[in-house]
């Protein structure tokens, strides 16, 4: 079993046998959201890494590792236009990670291939926001919750 634990100074991923026993760290360093691939061969998670450019900056990364020995396989910088608060999901064929991008109030699903290279746009909607999505196990159907966010502004003033 995989789980995230929020410690005093950071969150980290752990594993424990389904039969019980002592938990062991899965990833050294700050890490979040372990999601096994549909076949269970790989695990996606995200983390922060420090990089020295002229100054030290913190980069958000998506990482994929083998689930047999938890060896890191791939790493991608989290796209700057990925919708915050929505985790990526595995492509049904495990070829990449699918995520939502919202531009000018319109959401679409994009796929970051595990082979590297640029992301590929999966949907081509012209209106509405995607709030959640899921693929059928065979990848033939995409289910999503979409709509619009509506809000009203009310101005109150005090008359003498």
């Amino acid at each position: 079993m995989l789980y995230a634990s929020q410690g005093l100074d950071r969150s980290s991923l752990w594993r424990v046998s389904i039969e019980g026993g002592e938990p062991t760290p899965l990833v050294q360093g700050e890490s979040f959201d372990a999601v096994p691939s549909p076949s269970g061969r790989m695990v996606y998670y995200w983390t922060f890494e420090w990089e020295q450019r002229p100054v030290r900056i913190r980069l958000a990364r998506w990482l994929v590792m083998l689930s047999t020995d938890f060896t890191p396989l791939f790493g991608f910088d989290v796209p700057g236009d990925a919708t915050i608060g929505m985790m990526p999901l595995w492509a049904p064929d495990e070829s990449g990670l699918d995520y939502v991008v919202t531009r000018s109030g319109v959401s679409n699903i994009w796929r970051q291939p595990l082979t590297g290279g640029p992301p590929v746009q999966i949907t081509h909607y012209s209106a509405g926001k995607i709030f959640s999505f899921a693929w059928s196990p065979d990848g033939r159907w995409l289910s999503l919750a979409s709509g619009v966010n509506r809000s009203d502004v009310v101005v109150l003033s005090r008359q003498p």
Side-chain angles (χ1 to χ4, degrees), residues 35 44 62 82-83 85-92 96-102 107-112 120 122-123 125 129-136 141-146:
V35 179
Y44 142 82
W62 289 340
T83 302
M86 291 186 64
M87 285 182 18
L89 299 178
W90 283 96
L97 296 170
D98 295 351
Y99 61 97
V100 175
V101 171
T102 303
S107 297
N108 279 288
I109 297 171
W110 288 71
R111 178 169 295 155
Q112 174 60 62
V120 177
I122 303 298
T123 63
Y125 296 114
K129 290 179 98 175
I130 296 174
F131 302 111
S132 64
F133 71 99
W135 288 101
S136 64
W141 298 95
L142 172 64
S143 174
L144 54 90
S146 66

Side-chain angles (χ1 to χ4, degrees), residues 23-145:
T24 58
L26 180 63
V27 176
Q28 295 298 323
E30 191 173 20
S31 48
F32 311 86
D33 301 330
V35 179
S37 65
S39 71
R41 292 183 315 109
M42 296 178 284
V43 175
Y44 142 82
Y45 68 99
W46 75 275
T47 187
F48 292 109
E49 292 181 355
W50 291 98
E51 188 170 295
Q52 196 74 31
R53 295 193 180 172
V55 295
R56 193 170 184 218
I57 61 171
R58 189 174 170 187
L59 299 173
R61 305 264 301 156
W62 289 340
L63 296 167
V64 176
M65 61 186 156
L66 286 174
S67 61
T68 51
D69 60 2
F70 299 102
T71 303
L73 292 176
F74 307 101
F76 307 101
D77 290 338
V78 173
D81 55 2
T83 302
I84 300 205
M86 291 186 64
M87 285 182 18
L89 299 178
W90 283 96
D93 63 358
E94 299 181 353
S95 65
L97 296 170
D98 295 351
Y99 61 97
V100 175
V101 171
T102 303
R103 295 181 182 147
S104 301
V106 178
S107 297
N108 279 288
I109 297 171
W110 288 71
R111 178 169 295 155
Q112 174 60 62
L114 294 186
T115 56
V120 177
Q121 189 171 355
I122 303 298
T123 63
H124 298 276
Y125 296 114
S126 58
K129 290 179 98 175
I130 296 174
F131 302 111
S132 64
F133 71 99
W135 288 101
S136 64
D138 64 6
R140 292 180 53 204
W141 298 95
L142 172 64
S143 174
L144 54 90

